[in-house]
Amino acid sequence: MGTIDAPVAIAPPASPVAPARVNLLDLDREGMEHFFEHELGEKRFRAHQVMKWIYHRHVTDFGGMTDLGKALRGKLEARCEARPPKVMFDKPSTDGTHKWLLGMDAGNAVETVFIPDKGRGTLCVSSQVGCGLNCQFCSTATQGFNRNLTAAEIIGQVFVAARHLGNVPHKDRKLTNVVMMGMGEPLLNFENVVTAMNLMRDDLGFGLASKRVTLSTAGLVPMIDQLASRADVALAVSLHAANDELRTQLVPLNKKYPIAELMAACLRYVRATKIDSITFEYTLMQGVNDQPGHARELAALMRQFCRQAQDNHAAKVNLIPFNPFPGTRFARSDEAAIRGFQKTLLDAGVLTMVRRTRGDDIDAACGQLKGQVVDKTRRQAAFRKTLDGASGAAA
Ligand code: SAH
């Protein structure tokens, strides 16, 4: 790491007493319509016009929204804002990857990465500042949990990238996919993530097809069920081990939601949504989970899942060679082990890809994203609260 050269302390907001404006980036179509009708006394289609200005034309200054009447523009200026995160660093990589450090409210910052690849462009988006799940091989875990991002801060990451790329929905667009694989556990920031994913998929928003928006989770079983009832998005599950003993060591959340429960939730997800396959992510760490026995165990688990789903393609495995970060005790598996692991899975009939690292020169790879966590003092208490809240949702 260390490529974001100057970790800056961001000043706290100037005045805590200024009346809060409604940030329109916090509202999806339903929220916008409601706000325009009930708070501003305007017609719904005005909300749609404003959304088009923001998400299609990347205009955030109400004065520039020329098809709105003067009175409405004045009202919007007085009560609202359309405020994306501030770009603090903007870092292109030699391979086309692009990383932004974005300043969020309350002195936090997160990284967002754009990865272009053969006809598609994927943006990796964060959902929290830091993360409380403590997965042993993830650099975000080392900074602990600070807070959930607001919906505006989540969709704002897409906004910044789309504006930079000159992205126009339904045209020759460069940003084609979003993966919620940056910092944080998206299912622990459920409402804000759902609102932001609605905006990613809405024609008045970024207009991405549902299957091009992927939520990646460490495996919060009750929230996977909630997600199925709220958004048909692609689901990626961070598995990393196919037996409970090892998985609990790598992903402590496994203690609460062991593999059998997780796989059952994945099965319910493919049955309840239009999404017909789950991606299982497996970070390969030398000598830890990359041995032939581990591959056979994973193949058996994936085969079982496909049998239950009655679809040979219901499980896809994404092998991620471990990306090192300072202070980690893990190392990347060597090329022979990676190839051997993939071959065992392929020979068993399991669709398996190896995710090649991009943006190496700007530390933009999985698990290398970091942010700026200013106040971590109450992070554990705050995190427990969210986790308990998430479990409660199962009841
Ligand atoms: N909390 C979510 C999303 C964030 S992590 C989740 O757990 O899925 C996004 C992906 O990157 C996960 O599959 C995660 O396990 C993987 N990852 C984390 N650290 C990594 C590292 N150092 N090297 C490779 N992959 C890593």
Side-chain angles (χ1 to χ4, degrees):
M1 279 210 225
T3 48
I4 297 282
D5 319 299
V8 270
I10 308 160
S15 162
V17 288
R21 287 165 188 270
V22 174
N23 189 352
L24 297 183
L25 271 67
D26 267 319
L27 306 176
D28 59 10
R29 182 197 291 237
E30 208 182 72
M32 283 286 283
E33 287 173 349
H34 187 275
F35 182 75
F36 271 67
E37 277 188 327
H38 300 283
E39 301 285 331
L40 299 179
E42 295 283 341
K43 296 257 167 30
R44 290 167 159 231
F45 82 93
R46 295 289 179 203
H48 300 175
Q49 282 178 301
V50 172
M51 286 180 76
K52 284 189 203 160
W53 278 110
I54 298 174
Y55 299 110
H56 296 185
R57 300 178 203 140
H58 317 130
V59 172
T60 53
D61 164 22
F62 299 122
M65 301 186 179
T66 47
D67 56 1
L68 306 180
K70 216 171 161 193
L72 173 55
R73 278 189 262 163
K75 230 191 274 188
L76 289 169
E77 267 155 15
R79 302 202 30 199
C80 312
E81 59 186 354
R83 184 166 54 87
K86 275 201 188 69
V87 177
M88 299 172 67
F89 289 97
D90 186 331
K91 206 161 181 142
S93 156
T94 48
D95 67 3
T97 307
H98 201 115
K99 180 161 83 169
W100 293 268
L101 181 70
L102 301 178
M104 304 294 183
D105 286 344
N108 296 119
V110 300
E111 289 177 349
T112 300
V113 181
F114 177 71
I115 308 152
D117 190 20
K118 297 183 212 103
R120 65 152 79 179
T122 303
L123 189 73
C124 182
V125 166
S126 297
S127 56
Q128 297 182 316
V129 182
C131 186
L133 288 182
N134 205 20
C135 297
Q136 293 300 292
F137 51 87
C138 181
S139 77
T140 304
T142 60
Q143 31 178 319
F145 173 70
N146 180 254
R147 71 171 174 89
N148 283 332
L149 292 178
T150 63
E153 290 168 333
I154 299 168
I155 200 64
Q157 296 168 61
V158 187
F159 179 94
V160 167
R163 181 179 58 191
H164 172 88
L165 296 163
N167 212 63
V168 181
H170 311 301
K171 290 244 173 80
D172 179 26
R173 59 179 161 204
K174 293 182 185 139
L175 198 166
T176 59
N177 294 59
V178 173
V179 291
M180 301 290 313
M181 288 184 190
M183 282 207 293
E185 169 49 50
L187 290 183
L188 284 175
N189 184 12
F190 190 75
E191 289 303 330
N192 294 343
V193 164
V194 166
T195 299
M197 292 193 311
N198 287 344
L199 286 165
M200 292 171 203
R201 297 177 301 140
D202 194 324
D203 279 342
L204 294 174
F206 292 108
L208 301 177
S210 280
K211 61 177 195 302
R212 291 181 176 274
V213 174
T214 301
L215 184 144
S216 179
T217 178
L220 268 121
V221 165
M223 300 316 289
I224 292 175
D225 290 320
Q226 294 275 312
L227 183 68
S229 67
R230 293 284 298 281
D232 270 349
V233 293
L235 185 65
V237 170
S238 295
L239 197 60
H240 312 304
N243 71 71
D244 281 321
E245 195 191 341
L246 181 56
R247 188 164 193 270
T248 298
Q249 282 171 32
L250 298 173
V251 182
L253 184 69
N254 191 68
K255 213 171 169 165
K256 196 162 177 142
Y257 304 115
I259 294 172
E261 284 181 34
L262 178 56
M263 298 306 288
C266 291
L267 196 59
R268 292 194 293 276
Y269 195 82
V270 289
R271 286 181 178 156
T273 64
K274 293 195 196 85
I275 301 296
D276 45 24
S277 71
I278 307 278
T279 301
F280 293 93
E281 296 162 284
Y282 195 103
T283 298
L284 283 167
M285 290 163 265
Q286 190 168 53
V288 174
N289 64 352
D290 66 347
Q291 300 299 299
H294 296 123
R296 287 194 294 273
E297 206 170 36
L298 178 61
L301 188 68
M302 296 295 102
R303 296 294 312 145
Q304 183 192 34
F305 182 73
C306 291
R307 262 195 313 279
Q308 289 170 336
Q310 297 180 314
D311 177 355
N312 277 338
H313 296 157
K316 292 183 180 144
V317 173
N318 215 332
L319 299 175
I320 315 169
F322 173 70
N323 292 309
F325 53 90
T328 181
R329 63 179 192 276
F330 298 110
R332 180 180 293 197
S333 303
D334 59 38
E335 202 50 38
I338 296 170
R339 286 284 151 228
F341 202 95
Q342 183 184 27
K343 186 169 184 311
T344 302
L345 286 157
L346 289 174
D347 288 350
V350 180
L351 291 173
T352 308
M353 307 261 297
V354 179
R355 194 191 293 164
R356 288 295 161 194
T357 304
R358 301 283 307 276
D360 258 353
D361 56 331
I362 54 169
D363 286 337
C366 274
Q368 287 184 322
L369 295 195
K370 57 181 178 177
Q372 215 122 357
V373 179
V374 168
D375 171 17
K376 291 200 284 191
T377 44
R378 281 183 297 173
R379 72 188 191 212
Q380 281 312 336
F383 174 63
R384 286 283 142 235
K385 226 169 102 194
T386 359
L387 191 57
D388 290 347
S391 320

